[in-house]
Amino acid sequence: MPRKRRFPVKTLISLFLVLVLVPATILLGVFVLHDRAYYFISLLLIVYTMVPFFLLFEKRKPQARELVVIAVLCAIAVAGRAAFFMLPQVKPMMAVVILAGVALGPQAGFLTGAVSAFVSNFFFGQGPWTPWQMFCFGIVGFLAGLLFREGRLKPGRISLCVFGGLCTLVIYGGIMNPASVLLGSSKLTWGAVLTSYLTGLPMDLIHAASTVVFLLVLSKPMLEKLSRIQIKYGLLRDS
């Protein structure tokens, strides 16, 4: 009987950080620090995302070009969000984060999403919503990389578009809507959460549709470019 494939230790550490430590830190900022230390919480989240990424280099020193690729993807995501600032929720950022996860792995996907959300908010406004956005973008990038590595997500346009649309609508909207209630009140009620979902649904649908469109346009050329860069320079893909 073939043995079931187990997650590597680095992936288990990443799962703990992403699914346990990051949400716990955000909730600490909400209920203990009363959303008054969102810069501190945001920087903590970036540190958390860097830990599993740099575990990839435990056996060798990182090359500058490997880190530059992540930085360039973050810059593209931030510039893309800024370029469409006049169109509410029409942003290519989620698409770029998903492609980063698929091309470079779950750890790099989470790092790209979290850093892009943090940096772009210097243009759009920092606030207690920043850690929530960092987590939402990061978890989608992490999930994209993890599912692709496990063979559950294919690199084709259709599968990426379906994945991106659902994640944007269900994960990003599903987290940010109740988070908006917490930002205005320390108490969560079913009525308030339901209202937040209903009022936020139109914007969530626009965000999901724009992510699908950007993935349809960007997925093939960006994945081809990233693949060529990895082959040419022998860049690391996390595992």
Side-chain angles (χ1 to χ4, degrees):
M1 293 289 293
R3 292 186 303 174
K4 292 183 178 180
R5 182 179 177 182
R6 295 188 301 176
F7 288 122
V9 175
K10 291 186 287 291
T11 300
L12 294 176
I13 294 174
S14 302
L15 286 170
F16 172 77
L17 290 171
V18 169
L19 299 180
V20 178
L21 195 56
V22 169
T25 302
I26 294 175
L27 294 176
L28 172 71
V30 173
F31 293 107
V32 178
L33 302 179
H34 306 291
D35 285 329
R36 297 178 181 272
Y38 50 85
Y39 271 117
F40 173 69
I41 298 298
S42 300
L43 291 174
L44 273 182
L45 298 191
I46 291 177
V47 172
Y48 295 161
T49 62
M50 291 174 64
V51 170
F53 180 74
F54 282 104
L55 283 176
L56 301 172
F57 302 109
E58 60 183 351
K59 295 182 180 178
R60 63 179 180 84
K61 294 181 179 180
Q63 302 178 44
R65 55 178 173 250
E66 293 171 337
L67 304 180
V68 167
V69 173
I70 302 293
V72 169
L73 288 172
C74 292
I76 292 173
V78 173
R81 186 181 180 189
F84 291 87
F85 74 94
M86 75 294 293
L87 300 174
Q89 293 301 90
V90 178
K91 313 297 179 199
M93 198 159 99
M94 186 67 80
V96 175
V97 170
I98 290 172
L99 296 176
V102 169
L104 303 175
Q107 288 85 359
F110 194 96
L111 181 61
T112 301
V115 172
S116 298
F118 180 66
V119 174
S120 64
N121 275 356
F122 281 105
F123 302 98
F124 291 90
Q126 297 284 358
W129 53 84
T130 298
W132 292 96
Q133 290 179 328
M134 292 171 65
F135 175 69
C136 290
F137 280 106
I139 193 66
V140 173
F142 183 87
L143 187 61
L146 188 63
L147 292 179
F148 178 76
R149 193 187 64 190
E150 297 297 315
R152 305 295 180 88
L153 177 64
K154 305 301 179 184
R157 285 177 173 173
I158 300 302
S159 60
L160 287 175
C161 287
V162 172
F163 173 83
L166 288 176
C167 283
T168 305
L169 183 63
V170 176
I171 296 180
Y172 186 89
I175 294 176
M176 289 304 300
N177 287 323
S180 66
V181 178
L182 275 178
L183 295 177
S185 172
S186 60
K187 295 181 180 180
L188 274 177
T189 64
W190 288 111
V193 171
L194 180 60
T195 301
S196 71
Y197 277 121
L198 292 177
T199 56
L201 183 60
M203 285 301 188
D204 292 337
L205 289 172
I206 295 173
H207 194 189
S210 67
T211 299
V212 169
V213 172
F214 284 117
L215 282 172
L216 190 64
V217 175
L218 298 176
S219 59
K220 186 176 180 179
M222 281 194 67
L223 290 178
E224 287 179 351
K225 294 292 185 184
L226 289 170
S227 178
R228 290 175 186 172
I229 291 172
Q230 286 177 302
I231 294 172
K232 182 176 181 179
Y233 296 106
L235 298 186
L236 177 70
R237 191 189 192 285
D238 55 4
S239 59

